[in-house]
Amino acid sequence: MKVLILDDEKEIADLVEVYLKNENYTIYKFYHAKEAIECINKETIDLAILDIMVGETNGFEICKMIRDKNLNFPIIMLTAKIEDKDKITGLTLGADDYITKPFNPLELVARVKSALRRYTKYNEKIEEGSIEINGLEMNELNHRCLLYGEEIELTPLEFKILLYLAKNRGNVVSSEELFEKVWKEKYLDSNNTVMVHIRRIREKLKDDTKKPKFIKTVWGVGYQIEK
């Protein structure tokens, strides 16, 4: 397993490296964000440990960059102090866990092992009937929708819409086609039902309408999940 460590406090980064190397993890250690970002772009990382405050940038920005690239490996944030707003910000951007400095290195090792177990289990259990797209997994047999391993609560109609788009990923699906396939009724031009449901699905997936990761609007044509 490959673990990336980014902390501009050399003593902390070195300490974390020692403990994780003792667990036979391959370590990529950095004191500056630029080198860490280059490594993320080049290597296949299994887990990242990011300091929130790191020189010229911060861990939140790097966390967002990782998730924007549709990389779903676990991210653990290190912070000198944790406030609710910081935790909410990090979780919204895709962080999996937080550890407050000073910390017990053995606790950090335990958190790393736990996060990697969840990640490995999630990636190994792509069940029969499942579709997986950039961290989004849908299982048609049990009607479950997971985003980076976390369950997303969708209504039956929302699930059918998202599943239909996922099954037809790469193709643009019109509102008329979506409505007639999901609702099994004739579509009327003035019907905005599909648009309303798409908006709700995007909200639940935290999908930015300006830079969507999942459902893209092809203006005047319909909706698309890219391959």
Side-chain angles (χ1 to χ4, degrees):
M1 289 288 189
K2 299 178 180 179
V3 177
L4 180 140
I5 302 167
L6 172 61
D7 197 314
D8 59 2
E9 294 185 63
K10 186 176 184 298
E11 296 80 4
I12 292 179
D14 292 350
L15 179 66
V16 173
E17 178 186 29
V18 169
Y19 274 83
L20 292 180
K21 274 191 172 180
N22 286 340
E23 299 295 328
N24 295 318
Y25 295 122
T26 300
I27 304 301
Y28 296 88
K29 180 184 64 178
F30 302 97
Y31 309 126
H32 302 286
K34 182 180 178 181
E35 290 86 350
I37 292 171
E38 290 174 354
C39 179
I40 291 167
N41 289 331
K42 184 173 63 174
E43 299 290 341
T44 301
I45 301 298
D46 296 299
L47 182 142
I49 300 171
L50 307 175
D51 186 23
I52 285 184
M53 299 307 299
V54 55
E56 68 278 14
T57 184
N58 64 61
F60 291 143
E61 293 174 1
I62 299 173
C63 178
K64 183 177 184 303
M65 180 212 74
I66 291 169
R67 295 307 185 223
D68 284 347
K69 290 178 176 292
N70 295 317
L71 299 172
N72 64 347
F73 56 76
I75 298 173
I76 298 176
M77 308 295 291
L78 296 180
T79 175
K81 64 177 183 177
I82 188 65
E83 298 180 0
D84 286 343
K85 65 177 183 178
D86 290 333
K87 189 169 185 179
I88 292 169
T89 298
L91 293 174
T92 300
L93 294 175
D96 297 271
D97 202 356
Y98 277 86
I99 294 183
T100 305
K101 300 176 183 179
F103 55 84
N104 184 332
L106 294 177
E107 179 187 356
L108 175 60
V109 171
R111 299 275 192 97
V112 167
K113 287 182 176 180
S114 177
L116 284 171
R117 277 198 302 271
R118 291 194 302 270
Y119 176 59
T120 302
K121 183 178 179 182
Y122 165 64
N123 282 292
E124 287 178 349
K125 288 194 173 181
I126 302 296
E127 305 169 14
E128 182 184 355
S130 287
I131 298 174
E132 197 279 330
I133 305 169
N134 298 328
L136 175 68
E137 182 187 350
M138 301 192 71
N139 189 295
E140 188 174 6
L141 301 181
N142 59 26
H143 277 243
R144 292 186 72 199
C145 178
L146 303 175
L147 182 60
Y148 305 125
E150 297 292 327
E151 188 156 4
I152 304 296
E153 296 293 336
L154 298 176
T155 67
L157 279 173
E158 289 167 351
F159 186 90
K160 288 179 181 178
I161 291 169
L162 189 56
L163 181 65
Y164 190 82
L165 289 172
K167 282 185 172 182
N168 290 277
R169 60 190 181 278
N171 300 320
V172 180
V173 179
S174 68
S175 295
E176 178 179 358
E177 180 180 346
L178 262 178
F179 187 84
E180 294 184 352
K181 293 293 185 181
V182 173
W183 277 266
K184 309 295 184 185
E185 297 177 11
K186 186 66 178 175
Y187 178 82
L188 301 176
D189 288 340
S190 59
N191 193 333
N192 65 356
T193 304
V194 171
M195 180 182 67
V196 171
H197 279 77
I198 291 288
R199 185 172 69 238
R200 289 176 181 168
I201 295 169
R202 281 174 168 157
E203 289 173 355
K204 292 182 178 182
L205 296 179
K206 297 182 174 63
D207 207 11
D208 186 347
T209 55
K210 294 181 180 178
K211 294 183 179 179
K213 298 177 186 176
F214 301 108
I215 304 175
K216 302 192 177 194
T217 299
V218 180
W219 294 108
V221 185
Y223 304 97
Q224 178 188 41
I225 293 181
E226 292 184 343
K227 287 188 176 180

